[in-house]
Coordinates of all heavy atoms in Angstrom, one line a residue:
M607 N 106.5 90.2 82.8 CA 105.7 89.1 82.7 C 104.5 89.1 83.6 O 104.7 89.4 84.8 CB 106.6 87.8 82.9 CG 105.8 86.6 83.0 SD 106.7 85.1 83.2 CE 107.5 85.2 84.8
T608 N 103.4 88.8 83.2 CA 102.2 88.8 84.0 C 101.6 87.4 84.0 O 101.4 86.8 83.0 CB 101.1 89.8 83.5 OG1 101.7 91.1 83.4 CG2 99.9 89.8 84.4
L609 N 101.4 86.9 85.2 CA 100.8 85.5 85.3 C 99.4 85.7 85.9 O 99.2 86.2 87.0 CB 101.6 84.7 86.2 CG 103.0 84.3 85.8 CD1 103.8 83.5 86.9 CD2 103.0 83.6 84.5
Y610 N 98.4 85.2 85.2 CA 97.0 85.2 85.7 C 96.8 83.7 86.1 O 96.5 82.9 85.3 CB 96.1 85.6 84.6 CG 96.3 87.1 84.2 CD1 97.0 87.4 83.1 CD2 95.8 88.1 85.0 CE1 97.2 88.7 82.7 CE2 96.0 89.4 84.7 CZ 96.7 89.7 83.5 OH 96.9 91.0 83.2
T611 N 96.9 83.4 87.4 CA 96.7 82.1 87.9 C 96.2 82.0 89.3 O 96.3 83.0 90.0 CB 98.1 81.4 87.8 OG1 98.0 80.0 88.3 CG2 99.2 82.1 88.6
I612 N 95.6 80.9 89.7 CA 95.2 80.7 91.0 C 96.2 80.0 91.9 O 96.0 79.8 93.1 CB 93.8 80.0 91.1 CG1 94.0 78.6 90.4 CG2 92.7 80.8 90.4 CD1 92.8 77.7 90.7
V613 N 97.3 79.6 91.2 CA 98.4 78.9 91.9 C 99.1 79.9 92.8 O 99.5 81.0 92.4 CB 99.3 78.3 90.9 CG1 100.5 77.5 91.6 CG2 98.6 77.3 90.0
P614 N 99.4 79.5 94.1 CA 100.1 80.4 95.0 C 101.5 80.8 94.5 O 102.1 80.0 93.8 CB 100.2 79.6 96.3 CG 99.1 78.6 96.2 CD 98.9 78.3 94.7
E615 N 101.8 82.0 94.8 CA 103.1 82.5 94.3 C 104.3 81.7 94.8 O 105.3 81.5 94.1 CB 103.3 84.0 94.8 CG 104.6 84.6 94.4 CD 104.8 86.0 95.0 OE1 103.8 86.5 95.5 OE2 105.9 86.5 94.9
D616 N 104.3 81.2 96.0 CA 105.4 80.4 96.5 C 105.6 79.0 95.8 O 106.6 78.4 95.9 CB 105.3 80.2 98.1 CG 104.0 79.5 98.5 OD1 103.0 79.6 97.7 OD2 104.0 78.9 99.6
I617 N 104.6 78.6 95.1 CA 104.7 77.4 94.3 C 105.4 77.7 93.0 O 106.2 77.0 92.5 CB 103.4 76.6 94.1 CG1 102.9 76.1 95.5 CG2 103.5 75.5 93.1 CD1 101.6 75.4 95.5
I618 N 105.0 78.8 92.4 CA 105.6 79.2 91.1 C 107.0 79.7 91.3 O 107.9 79.4 90.5 CB 104.7 80.3 90.5 CG1 103.3 79.8 90.2 CG2 105.4 80.9 89.2 CD1 102.3 80.9 89.7
F619 N 107.2 80.5 92.3 CA 108.6 81.0 92.6 C 109.0 80.5 94.0 O 109.0 81.3 95.0 CB 108.6 82.5 92.6 CG 108.1 83.1 91.3 CD1 106.8 83.7 91.3 CD2 108.8 83.1 90.2 CE1 106.3 84.3 90.1 CE2 108.4 83.6 89.0 CZ 107.1 84.2 89.0
P620 N 109.5 79.3 94.2 CA 109.7 78.7 95.5 C 110.8 79.3 96.3 O 110.8 79.3 97.5 CB 110.0 77.2 95.2 CG 110.5 77.2 93.8 CD 109.8 78.3 93.1
H621 N 111.8 79.9 95.6 CA 112.9 80.5 96.4 C 112.8 82.0 96.5 O 113.6 82.6 97.1 CB 114.2 80.2 95.7 CG 114.5 78.7 95.5 ND1 114.7 77.9 96.6 CD2 114.4 77.9 94.5 CE1 114.8 76.6 96.2 NE2 114.6 76.6 94.9
H622 N 111.8 82.6 96.0 CA 111.6 84.0 96.0 C 111.4 84.5 97.4 O 112.1 85.5 97.8 CB 110.4 84.4 95.2 CG 110.1 85.9 95.2 ND1 110.9 86.8 94.5 CD2 109.1 86.6 95.8 CE1 110.4 88.0 94.7 NE2 109.3 87.9 95.5
H623 N 110.7 83.9 98.3 CA 110.5 84.3 99.6 C 111.7 84.2 100.5 O 112.0 85.0 101.4 CB 109.3 83.5 100.3 CG 108.0 83.9 99.6 ND1 107.4 85.1 99.8 CD2 107.2 83.1 98.8 CE1 106.2 85.1 99.1 NE2 106.1 83.9 98.5
E624 N 112.5 83.1 100.2 CA 113.8 83.0 101.0 C 114.7 84.1 100.7 O 115.4 84.6 101.6 CB 114.4 81.6 100.6 CG 113.6 80.4 101.0 CD 114.2 79.1 100.4 OE1 115.3 79.2 99.8 OE2 113.6 78.1 100.5
R625 N 114.8 84.5 99.4 CA 115.7 85.6 99.0 C 115.2 86.9 99.6 O 116.0 87.7 100.0 CB 115.8 85.6 97.5 CG 116.8 86.6 97.0 CD 116.9 86.6 95.5 NE 117.8 87.5 94.9 CZ 117.8 88.8 95.0 NH1 116.9 89.4 95.8 NH2 118.7 89.6 94.4
T626 N 114.0 87.2 99.5 CA 113.5 88.5 99.9 C 113.4 88.7 101.4 O 113.2 89.8 101.9 CB 112.1 88.9 99.3 OG1 111.2 87.9 99.6 CG2 112.2 89.0 97.8
A627 N 113.5 87.6 102.1 CA 113.4 87.6 103.6 C 114.6 88.4 104.2 O 114.5 88.9 105.3 CB 113.3 86.2 104.2
N628 N 115.7 88.4 103.5 CA 116.9 89.0 104.0 C 117.1 90.5 103.5 O 118.0 91.2 103.9 CB 118.2 88.3 103.5 CG 118.2 86.9 104.0 OD1 117.7 86.6 105.1 ND2 118.8 86.0 103.2
L629 N 116.1 91.0 102.8 CA 116.2 92.3 102.2 C 115.5 93.4 103.1 O 114.5 93.1 103.8 CB 115.6 92.4 100.8 CG 116.2 91.5 99.8 CD1 115.5 91.6 98.5 CD2 117.7 91.9 99.6
I630 N 116.1 94.6 103.2 CA 115.6 95.6 104.0 C 115.4 96.9 103.1 O 116.3 97.2 102.4 CB 116.6 96.0 105.1 CG1 116.9 94.7 106.0 CG2 116.1 97.1 106.0 CD1 118.1 94.9 106.8
E631 N 114.3 97.5 103.3 CA 114.1 98.8 102.6 C 114.6 99.9 103.4 O 114.4 100.0 104.7 CB 112.6 99.1 102.3 CG 112.1 98.2 101.2 CD 110.6 98.6 100.8 OE1 110.4 99.8 100.6 OE2 109.8 97.7 100.8
M632 N 115.3 100.9 102.8 CA 115.8 102.0 103.6 C 116.0 103.2 102.6 O 116.0 103.1 101.4 CB 117.1 101.7 104.3 CG 118.3 101.3 103.3 SD 119.8 100.8 104.1 CE 120.3 102.3 105.0
I633 N 116.3 104.4 103.2 CA 116.6 105.6 102.5 C 118.1 105.8 102.7 O 118.6 105.9 103.8 CB 115.8 106.8 103.0 CG1 114.3 106.6 102.9 CG2 116.2 108.0 102.2 CD1 113.7 106.4 101.5
Y634 N 118.9 105.8 101.6 CA 120.3 106.0 101.7 C 120.7 107.2 100.8 O 120.4 107.2 99.6 CB 121.1 104.8 101.2 CG 122.6 104.9 101.2 CD1 123.3 105.0 102.4 CD2 123.3 105.1 100.0 CE1 124.6 105.1 102.4 CE2 124.6 105.3 100.0 CZ 125.3 105.3 101.2 OH 126.7 105.5 101.3
N635 N 121.2 108.3 101.5 CA 121.5 109.5 100.8 C 120.3 110.1 100.0 O 120.5 110.6 98.9 CB 122.7 109.4 99.9 CG 124.0 109.2 100.6 OD1 124.1 109.5 101.8 ND2 125.1 108.8 99.9
G636 N 119.1 109.9 100.6 CA 117.9 110.5 100.0 C 117.3 109.6 98.9 O 116.4 110.0 98.3
V637 N 117.9 108.4 98.7 CA 117.4 107.5 97.7 C 116.8 106.3 98.3 O 117.4 105.6 99.2 CB 118.5 107.1 96.7 CG1 118.0 106.1 95.6 CG2 119.2 108.3 96.1
H638 N 115.6 105.9 97.9 CA 114.9 104.7 98.4 C 115.5 103.5 97.8 O 115.4 103.3 96.6 CB 113.4 104.8 98.1 CG 112.6 103.7 98.7 ND1 111.3 103.5 98.3 CD2 112.8 102.9 99.7 CE1 110.8 102.5 99.0 NE2 111.7 102.1 99.9
V639 N 116.1 102.6 98.6 CA 116.8 101.4 98.1 C 116.4 100.2 98.9 O 115.9 100.3 100.0 CB 118.3 101.6 98.1 CG1 118.8 102.6 97.2 CG2 118.8 101.8 99.5
M640 N 116.6 99.0 98.3 CA 116.5 97.8 99.0 C 117.9 97.2 99.2 O 118.6 97.1 98.2 CB 115.5 96.8 98.3 CG 115.2 95.6 99.1 SD 113.8 94.7 98.4 CE 112.4 95.7 98.9
V641 N 118.2 96.9 100.4 CA 119.6 96.4 100.7 C 119.6 95.0 101.4 O 118.6 94.6 101.9 CB 120.4 97.4 101.6 CG1 120.5 98.7 100.9 CG2 119.7 97.6 102.9
E642 N 120.7 94.4 101.3 CA 120.9 93.1 102.0 C 122.0 93.2 102.9 O 123.1 93.7 102.6 CB 121.2 92.0 101.0 CG 121.3 90.6 101.6 CD 121.5 89.5 100.5 OE1 121.8 89.9 99.4 OE2 121.3 88.4 100.9
H643 N 121.8 92.8 104.2 CA 122.9 92.9 105.2 C 123.9 91.8 105.0 O 123.5 90.7 104.8 CB 122.2 92.8 106.6 CG 123.2 93.2 107.7 ND1 123.5 92.2 108.7 CD2 123.9 94.3 108.0 CE1 124.4 92.8 109.5 NE2 124.6 94.0 109.1
D644 N 125.1 92.2 105.0 CA 126.2 91.2 104.7 C 126.7 90.5 106.0 O 127.6 89.7 106.0 CB 127.3 91.8 104.0 CG 128.2 92.8 104.8 OD1 127.8 93.1 106.0 OD2 129.2 93.2 104.3
G645 N 126.1 90.9 107.2 CA 126.5 90.3 108.4 C 127.6 91.1 109.2 O 127.8 90.9 110.3
G646 N 128.2 92.0 108.5 CA 129.2 92.9 109.2 C 128.6 94.3 109.4 O 127.5 94.4 109.8
R647 N 129.4 95.3 109.1 CA 129.0 96.7 109.3 C 128.5 97.3 108.0 O 128.3 98.5 107.9 CB 130.2 97.5 109.8 CG 130.6 97.0 111.2 CD 131.8 97.9 111.7 NE 131.5 99.3 111.7 CZ 130.9 100.0 112.7 NH1 130.6 99.4 113.8 NH2 130.8 101.3 112.5
S648 N 128.3 96.5 107.0 CA 127.9 97.1 105.7 C 126.7 96.4 105.1 O 126.4 95.3 105.5 CB 129.1 97.1 104.7 OG 129.6 95.8 104.5
F649 N 126.2 97.0 104.1 CA 125.0 96.5 103.3 C 125.4 96.5 101.8 O 126.2 97.3 101.4 CB 123.8 97.3 103.6 CG 123.2 97.2 105.0 CD1 123.8 98.0 106.0 CD2 122.2 96.4 105.3 CE1 123.3 98.0 107.3 CE2 121.7 96.3 106.6 CZ 122.3 97.1 107.6
R650 N 124.7 95.6 101.1 CA 124.9 95.6 99.6 C 123.5 96.0 99.0 O 122.5 95.5 99.4 CB 125.2 94.2 99.1 CG 125.5 94.1 97.6 CD 125.7 92.7 97.2 NE 124.6 91.8 97.5 CZ 123.4 91.8 96.8 NH1 123.2 92.6 95.8 NH2 122.4 91.0 97.2
I651 N 123.6 97.0 98.1 CA 122.4 97.4 97.5 C 121.9 96.4 96.5 O 122.6 95.9 95.6 CB 122.6 98.8 96.7 CG1 123.0 99.9 97.7 CG2 121.4 99.2 95.9 CD1 123.3 101.2 97.0
D652 N 120.6 95.9 96.7 CA 120.0 94.9 95.8 C 119.3 95.6 94.7 O 119.4 95.1 93.6 CB 119.1 94.1 96.6 CG 118.5 92.9 95.8 OD1 119.3 92.0 95.5 OD2 117.3 92.9 95.5
R653 N 118.6 96.7 95.0 CA 117.8 97.4 93.9 C 117.5 98.8 94.4 O 117.4 99.1 95.6 CB 116.6 96.6 93.5 CG 115.5 96.6 94.5 CD 114.3 95.8 94.1 NE 114.7 94.4 94.2 CZ 113.9 93.4 94.5 NH1 112.6 93.6 94.6 NH2 114.3 92.2 94.7
I654 N 117.3 99.6 93.4 CA 116.9 101.0 93.6 C 115.4 101.0 93.5 O 114.9 100.6 92.5 CB 117.6 102.0 92.7 CG1 119.1 101.9 92.8 CG2 117.1 103.4 92.8 CD1 119.9 102.7 91.7
M655 N 114.7 101.5 94.5 CA 113.3 101.5 94.5 C 112.7 102.9 94.2 O 111.5 103.1 94.0 CB 112.7 101.2 95.9 CG 113.2 99.8 96.5 SD 112.6 98.4 95.5 CE 110.9 98.4 96.1
S656 N 113.6 103.9 94.0 CA 113.2 105.2 93.7 C 112.4 105.3 92.3 O 112.7 104.5 91.4 CB 114.4 106.1 93.7 OG 114.1 107.4 93.2
T657 N 111.6 106.3 92.2 CA 110.9 106.6 90.9 C 111.6 107.8 90.2 O 111.1 108.1 89.1 CB 109.4 106.9 91.1 OG1 109.3 108.0 92.0 CG2 108.7 105.6 91.7
D658 N 112.6 108.4 90.8 CA 113.3 109.5 90.2 C 114.4 109.0 89.3 O 115.3 108.3 89.7 CB 113.9 110.4 91.3 CG 114.6 111.6 90.8 OD1 114.6 111.8 89.5 OD2 115.0 112.4 91.6
P659 N 114.3 109.3 88.0 CA 115.3 108.8 87.0 C 116.7 109.3 87.4 O 117.7 108.6 87.1 CB 114.9 109.4 85.7 CG 113.4 109.7 85.8 CD 113.2 110.0 87.3
A660 N 116.9 110.4 88.0 CA 118.2 110.9 88.4 C 118.9 110.0 89.4 O 120.1 109.9 89.4 CB 118.1 112.3 88.9
D661 N 118.1 109.3 90.2 CA 118.7 108.4 91.2 C 119.4 107.3 90.6 O 120.4 106.7 91.1 CB 117.7 107.9 92.2 CG 117.1 109.0 93.1 OD1 117.8 110.0 93.3 OD2 116.0 108.9 93.6
F662 N 119.0 106.9 89.4 CA 119.6 105.7 88.7 C 120.9 106.2 88.0 O 121.7 105.3 87.6 CB 118.6 105.2 87.6 CG 117.5 104.5 88.3 CD1 116.3 105.1 88.6 CD2 117.5 103.1 88.5 CE1 115.3 104.5 89.2 CE2 116.5 102.4 89.1 CZ 115.3 103.1 89.5
M663 N 121.1 107.5 87.9 CA 122.4 108.0 87.3 C 123.5 108.2 88.3 O 124.6 108.5 88.0 CB 122.1 109.3 86.5 CG 121.0 109.1 85.4 SD 121.5 107.9 84.2 CE 122.9 108.6 83.4
N664 N 123.1 108.1 89.6 CA 124.1 108.3 90.7 C 125.1 107.2 90.6 O 124.8 106.0 90.8 CB 123.4 108.4 92.0 CG 124.3 108.8 93.1 OD1 125.5 108.6 93.1 ND2 123.7 109.3 94.2
A665 N 126.4 107.5 90.4 CA 127.4 106.5 90.3 C 127.7 105.8 91.6 O 128.2 104.6 91.6 CB 128.7 107.1 89.8
N666 N 127.4 106.4 92.7 CA 127.7 105.8 94.0 C 126.6 104.8 94.5 O 126.8 104.1 95.4 CB 127.9 106.9 95.1 CG 129.1 107.7 94.8 OD1 130.1 107.2 94.3 ND2 129.0 109.0 95.0
I667 N 125.4 104.9 93.9 CA 124.2 104.1 94.3 C 123.8 103.3 93.1 O 123.2 103.8 92.2 CB 123.1 105.0 94.8 CG1 123.6 105.9 96.0 CG2 121.9 104.2 95.2 CD1 122.6 106.9 96.5
H668 N 124.2 102.0 93.2 CA 123.8 101.1 92.1 C 123.7 99.7 92.7 O 124.4 99.4 93.7 CB 124.8 101.2 90.9 CG 126.2 100.8 91.4 ND1 126.7 99.6 91.5 CD2 127.2 101.6 91.7 CE1 127.9 99.6 91.9 NE2 128.3 100.8 92.0
P669 N 123.0 98.8 92.0 CA 122.9 97.4 92.5 C 124.3 96.8 92.6 O 125.1 96.9 91.7 CB 122.0 96.7 91.5 CG 121.2 97.8 91.0 CD 122.1 99.0 90.9
G670 N 124.6 96.2 93.7 CA 125.9 95.5 94.0 C 126.8 96.4 94.8 O 127.8 95.9 95.3
A671 N 126.5 97.7 94.9 CA 127.4 98.6 95.6 C 127.3 98.3 97.1 O 126.3 98.0 97.6 CB 127.0 100.1 95.4
V672 N 128.5 98.3 97.8 CA 128.5 98.1 99.2 C 128.5 99.4 99.9 O 129.3 100.3 99.6 CB 129.8 97.3 99.6 CG1 129.9 97.1 101.1 CG2 129.7 95.9 98.9
I673 N 127.6 99.6 100.9 CA 127.5 100.9 101.6 C 127.6 100.6 103.1 O 127.3 99.5 103.6 CB 126.2 101.6 101.3 CG1 125.0 100.7 101.7 CG2 126.1 102.0 99.9 CD1 123.6 101.4 101.6
N674 N 128.2 101.6 103.8 CA 128.3 101.4 105.2 C 127.4 102.5 105.9 O 127.7 103.6 105.9 CB 129.8 101.7 105.7 CG 130.0 101.4 107.1 OD1 129.1 101.4 107.9 ND2 131.2 101.1 107.5
V675 N 126.3 102.0 106.3 CA 125.3 103.0 106.9 C 125.7 103.4 108.3 O 125.2 104.4 108.7 CB 123.8 102.4 106.9 CG1 123.4 102.2 105.4 CG2 123.8 101.1 107.7
F676 N 126.5 102.7 109.0 CA 126.9 103.0 110.3 C 127.7 104.3 110.3 O 127.6 105.1 111.2 CB 127.6 101.9 111.0 CG 126.7 100.7 111.2 CD1 127.0 99.6 110.4 CD2 125.7 100.7 112.1 CE1 126.1 98.4 110.6 CE2 124.9 99.6 112.2 CZ 125.1 98.5 111.4
E677 N 128.6 104.5 109.3 CA 129.3 105.7 109.1 C 128.4 106.9 108.8 O 128.6 108.0 109.3 CB 130.4 105.6 108.0 CG 131.5 104.7 108.3 CD 132.5 104.6 107.2 OE1 132.4 105.2 106.2 OE2 133.5 103.8 107.4
Q678 N 127.4 106.6 108.0 CA 126.4 107.6 107.6 C 125.7 108.1 108.9 O 125.4 109.3 109.0 CB 125.4 107.0 106.6 CG 124.5 108.0 106.0 CD 125.2 108.7 104.9 OE1 126.3 108.4 104.4 NE2 124.6 109.8 104.4
I679 N 125.3 107.2 109.8 CA 124.5 107.5 111.0 C 125.4 108.3 111.9 O 125.0 109.3 112.5 CB 124.0 106.3 111.7 CG1 122.9 105.6 110.8 CG2 123.4 106.6 113.0 CD1 122.5 104.3 111.2
N680 N 126.7 107.9 112.1 CA 127.6 108.5 113.1 C 128.2 109.8 112.5 O 128.9 110.5 113.3 CB 128.7 107.5 113.4 CG 128.2 106.4 114.2 OD1 127.2 106.5 114.9 ND2 128.8 105.2 114.1
G681 N 127.9 110.1 111.3 CA 128.5 111.3 110.7 C 129.9 111.3 110.4 O 130.6 112.3 110.3
Q682 N 130.5 110.2 110.3 CA 132.0 110.1 110.0 C 132.2 110.1 108.5 O 131.5 109.7 107.7 CB 132.5 108.8 110.6 CG 132.4 108.8 112.1 CD 132.8 107.4 112.7 OE1 133.3 106.5 112.0 NE2 132.8 107.3 114.0

């Protein structure tokens, strides 16, 4: 959907900025994703930002999947 308007985005989509304020862009296992921190030691994938179609076929990386990046960093 394309909107051609002079009305500010926050008036048209009032809750959009609140929702995206909690999102973080990161690279997980070589895939560019946007995640939301759950407050603990893990993140939930909100969307895949990659342009590679093969990344969307990865069964471990999909919207809603919970990932633990701390284990990834520590090599465990």
Side-chain angles (χ1 to χ4, degrees):
M607 171 175 66
T608 304
L609 297 176
Y610 297 99
T611 179
I612 60 169
V613 178
E615 181 182 350
D616 56 335
I617 292 177
I618 297 172
F619 305 107
H621 302 290
H622 178 71
H623 294 290
E624 294 171 9
R625 187 180 178 298
T626 58
N628 299 330
L629 298 177
I630 304 165
E631 286 188 49
M632 65 182 296
I633 304 295
Y634 178 72
N635 287 345
V637 180
H638 186 197
V639 294
M640 189 167 283
V641 297
E642 183 176 15
H643 190 241
D644 71 353
R647 297 182 50 92
S648 59
F649 292 83
R650 184 187 57 78
I651 296 177
D652 186 68
R653 69 185 76 147
I654 300 171
M655 304 293 287
S656 173
T657 57
D658 184 358
D661 292 337
F662 291 87
M663 301 303 292
N664 187 336
N666 297 322
I667 300 175
H668 59 84
V672 177
I673 58 175
N674 188 336
V675 296
F676 298 109
E677 288 180 4
Q678 191 78 13
I679 293 170
N680 294 330
Q682 297 177 359

